[in-house]
Structure formats: C-alpha cells, structure tokens
Amino acid sequence: PEALREAIKIAASHFPKKVGLILGDMRELGEHSKSFHEELGKEISLHPFAFLITVGKEAEYFHVSNSITPFSAESPEEAAKIAEKLGFEMLLVK
C-alpha cells in the first residue's frame, strides 16, 4: 500500500494535467486487503483525478468511498481501451 500511496501523491502533484488511474488488485495483503483498498480509495478521492479504472475484484474496493465516476474492466487491455476513450495527459498504471 505504501508504494501505491506514494505513486498517488506523485500523480496528484501533476494537477492541472488530466491524470487518470488504472489500478489492479493488491493481492499481497491477505485478510487486510479490503480495508487497505478502501483506505487508498479515500486518499484517491482527495485528489482531482480525471478517472479511475479498476481491474480485479479486490480493486473494486478503491471505488467504495470515491467521488470519481467508477469504471471497472475485466482485463488490463480493456482498461487501456477505456482510458484511451476517456483521454488523458498522464496515466498512472499499477
């Protein structure tokens, strides 16, 4: 979670560029997975990101408390196609 938290801060520092996020599951978290995903979702909502696309069941918890319109994709390739349609100046992919 710490690496993603720092990546989010770096991406947010590029505002006012149109910054999008594609985030996948953080599978290494075991029984604490849901709470870490939700916690980072809250942090994401504090920044003016253009969009958030998630890939994976656990990653959907990023959307729980997020003010950004949610998008979910079945695969990284599908996420890339969605991001391409939405447009961006910078894209954080994790």
Side-chain angles (χ1 to χ4, degrees):
E2 289 306 313
L4 180 55
R5 182 174 284 113
E6 291 305 313
I8 289 166
K9 289 178 187 175
I10 291 167
S13 72
H14 287 81
F15 182 77
K17 288 187 177 183
K18 185 176 181 182
V19 180
L21 308 174
I22 297 178
L23 303 178
D25 293 338
M26 295 185 293
R27 297 183 190 174
E28 68 278 4
L29 302 175
E31 65 185 55
H32 302 290
S33 181
K34 180 180 177 182
S35 62
F36 277 121
H37 283 84
E38 288 176 344
E39 178 185 325
L40 286 169
K42 289 176 186 173
E43 287 191 35
I44 290 166
S45 70
L46 299 175
H47 303 286
F49 294 115
F51 58 84
L52 168 60
I53 304 168
T54 57
V55 180
K57 188 139 185 86
E58 295 292 310
E60 289 183 13
Y61 292 119
F62 287 128
H63 295 295
V64 170
S65 60
N66 211 306
S67 59
I68 301 170
T69 303
F71 296 92
S72 296
E74 296 292 320
S75 68
E77 295 81 11
E78 181 183 351
K81 288 178 183 177
I82 294 169
E84 197 171 66
K85 288 179 185 175
L86 296 171
F88 56 88
E89 293 176 89
M90 181 178 164
L91 186 63
L92 171 63
V93 180
K94 178 276 177 211

